[in-house]
Amino acid sequence: MSIKFRLTLIIALLLGTLVFQAAFTLHYRGINDGLTEKLSAGVKNTTEIAVVATEVQKMRRFEKEYFIYVNSPDKRRGYDADVRKSATAIGENLTRMALNRDRRYTPAEVETFKGWDGDLDFYTAQFIALVQKVESGEISTTAAANAAIGPGKD
């Protein structure tokens, strides 16, 4: 074999190796981008659900404070406003999640969010009815207020 043939063969092998490496890198880069996108969507989903969970906990805490201060008009009105504010924030988040504009949620998850939104509407209606009973004097104790909201909690 001549030196020219050997050099041509070596250069061809090196070029072939480079082409193979480039193809291999592009293939796995595409896989990695897809994985990164899925992980990012998962983090966003978890964050949105955590925000809803936090607001629900705040709303329930404000509800309990409302019941504790059922005989203190100024305090209970403040907690009533806090409950409604949290309910609004929860509803806005659930509506946005159910719209699923980024297509991050499955159809089953979207239906779950819609169900939660319906549950929130029911709870809010029960709480508003309870507030009206407290304001009218029909309910005047913590125990009675807690018992009256029972259906809304279930």
Side-chain angles (χ1 to χ4, degrees):
M1 287 204 225
S2 71
I3 290 183
K4 183 179 178 184
F5 179 74
R6 287 182 190 169
L7 286 175
T8 305
L9 184 62
I10 290 171
I11 290 173
L13 286 173
L14 286 174
L15 285 175
T17 303
L18 287 174
V19 168
F20 175 76
Q21 181 64 37
F24 184 79
T25 301
L26 286 173
H27 173 71
Y28 281 99
R29 188 175 184 189
I31 291 173
N32 188 32
D33 288 347
L35 179 61
T36 301
E37 186 177 313
K38 287 181 182 180
L39 288 173
S40 176
V43 169
K44 289 177 185 176
N45 293 355
T46 301
T47 301
E48 284 183 333
I49 291 170
V51 167
V52 170
T54 301
E55 283 297 325
V56 168
Q57 289 174 349
K58 285 170 47 179
M59 183 176 67
R60 293 300 302 272
R61 183 66 210 161
F62 295 144
E63 170 203 299
K64 289 177 184 179
E65 293 295 328
Y66 181 89
F67 294 163
I68 290 169
Y69 294 107
V70 74
N71 291 318
S72 176
D74 291 337
K75 287 186 178 182
R76 78 170 180 246
R77 287 186 187 114
Y79 287 117
D80 173 27
D82 290 338
V83 168
R84 292 175 194 233
K85 181 179 169 186
S86 286
T88 300
I90 294 165
E92 288 171 354
N93 282 313
L94 289 175
T95 298
R96 185 181 62 256
M97 291 162 65
L99 288 174
N100 198 22
R101 288 192 174 117
D102 295 336
R103 304 282 182 236
R104 292 189 325 247
Y105 296 107
T106 65
E109 290 169 330
V110 168
E111 290 306 312
T112 298
F113 300 145
K114 289 177 182 177
W116 290 351
D117 198 30
D119 294 341
L120 175 67
D121 290 343
F122 179 73
Y123 170 82
T124 303
Q126 293 293 310
F127 186 79
I128 290 170
L130 177 128
V131 167
Q132 291 170 346
K133 289 179 181 178
V134 169
E135 292 297 325
S136 71
E138 188 177 333
I139 293 177
S140 59
T141 66
T142 300
N146 199 27
I149 197 68
K153 288 183 184 179
D154 295 338

